[in-house]
Amino acid sequence: MPHWLQLMLDSLAPLLWACLVFTVPLTLLSFAFGLTLGFLTALARLYGPRPLVALARFYVWIIRGTPLLVQLFVIFYGLPSVGILLDAFPAALIGFTLNVGAYSSEIVRAVIASIPKGQWEASYSIGMNWAQALRRTVLPQAARTAVPPLSNTFISLVKDTSLAAAVTVPELFQAAQRIVATSYEPLIIYIEAALIYLALSSVLSALQDRLEHRLARASGLAPEAAR
């Protein structure tokens, strides 16, 4: 068996373990918390009082205008300077959550704002209050539009979690770095890590396509029209 193939086989188990134990949970938790934060931020910008709108806009401006890696470094390496000590995984989780929240808030805000005002008025005419109209009429329609961009955000997040290696989270990419440090074969190991990321992204892309087709059928649109 060729040396490179044997090395890839020997490295596969620790890489997959790091992926399952750290990369996948970090991705899922960050997206769930980030989407919740993004939804609240979007509502604040659309319907909140002026001070809350300003605060939400400032948060989005800061996060979108600075690199994710810098944000992680500020949280993990910078906050201890003011007495706030965080372990690597919680620090990465906070950083990714804030990042996803800012970007997803713009998506949610745009899709909610795209719903015609007539939908709100029709809901009010049958006795719904604002919260009921939002939950029962607006959000179901907005969700169909939001699925493609939010799915892309999720797929990007899977790859972005490799940055957590910079704050010592032992996820997939840092596991690859540790193997490289002992095997002295960076090309082979980093290609193997890249292939794992590629496989994850490909599976998620396929699931995204199926979800979009289902939503298209549910809304009475042809798949081509939904795209």
Side-chain angles (χ1 to χ4, degrees), residues 7 23 34 38 45 71 93 109 122 155 162 169 183 191 217 223:
L7 180 59
T23 299
R45 292 192 65 180
Q71 296 164 19
L93 179 59
R109 183 175 66 89
I155 293 171
S162 61
V169 176
S183 67
I191 286 177
R217 288 197 298 268

Side-chain angles (χ1 to χ4, degrees), residues 6-215:
Q6 183 63 53
L7 180 59
M8 292 184 76
L9 291 175
D10 292 341
S11 304
L12 185 59
L15 291 177
L16 290 178
W17 177 256
C19 180
L20 291 174
V21 175
F22 291 100
T23 299
V24 171
L26 183 59
T27 301
L28 294 176
L29 291 173
S30 298
F31 189 75
F33 294 150
L35 187 58
T36 302
L37 178 60
F39 177 70
L40 296 176
T41 302
L43 291 184
R45 292 192 65 180
L46 288 170
Y47 309 112
R50 186 167 296 179
L52 192 57
V53 171
L55 180 62
R57 293 186 65 178
F58 179 76
Y59 154 63
V60 173
W61 174 65
I62 289 291
I63 297 299
R64 294 183 68 194
T66 55
L68 174 55
L69 184 60
V70 174
Q71 296 164 19
L72 292 172
F73 269 56
V74 168
I75 293 170
F76 186 68
Y77 296 111
L79 290 183
S81 300
V82 293
I84 302 175
L85 301 175
L86 295 170
D87 291 334
F89 190 89
L93 179 59
I94 292 171
F96 287 122
T97 296
L98 292 174
N99 194 268
V100 171
Y103 282 93
S104 64
S105 72
E106 292 296 277
I107 297 172
V108 174
R109 183 175 66 89
V111 297
I112 291 178
S114 70
I115 302 300
K117 291 184 177 180
Q119 297 293 320
W120 290 94
E121 295 169 356
S123 300
Y124 295 148
S125 69
I126 59 174
M128 292 186 187
N129 57 32
W130 179 86
Q132 291 172 328
L134 178 68
R135 185 176 70 254
R136 298 179 182 178
T137 303
V138 174
L139 289 183
Q141 298 179 63
R144 299 190 190 103
T145 308
V147 163
L150 289 178
S151 298
N152 290 333
T153 299
F154 183 73
I155 293 171
S156 296
L157 178 61
V158 172
K159 296 173 288 185
D160 287 344
T161 55
S162 61
L163 294 175
V167 292
T168 72
V169 176
E171 44 70 64
L172 171 58
F173 187 64
Q174 195 186 73
Q177 290 178 313
R178 290 178 176 176
I179 295 172
V180 168
T182 57
S183 67
Y184 303 102
E185 294 284 359
L187 180 61
I188 296 173
I189 299 303
Y190 288 147
I191 286 177
E192 184 175 18
L195 290 174
I196 295 175
Y197 282 115
L198 180 61
L200 289 173
S201 299
S202 299
V203 170
L204 292 173
S205 295
L207 293 175
Q208 175 187 351
D209 288 341
R210 293 191 64 178
L211 179 59
E212 288 181 26
H213 277 72
R214 285 193 176 188
L215 290 175

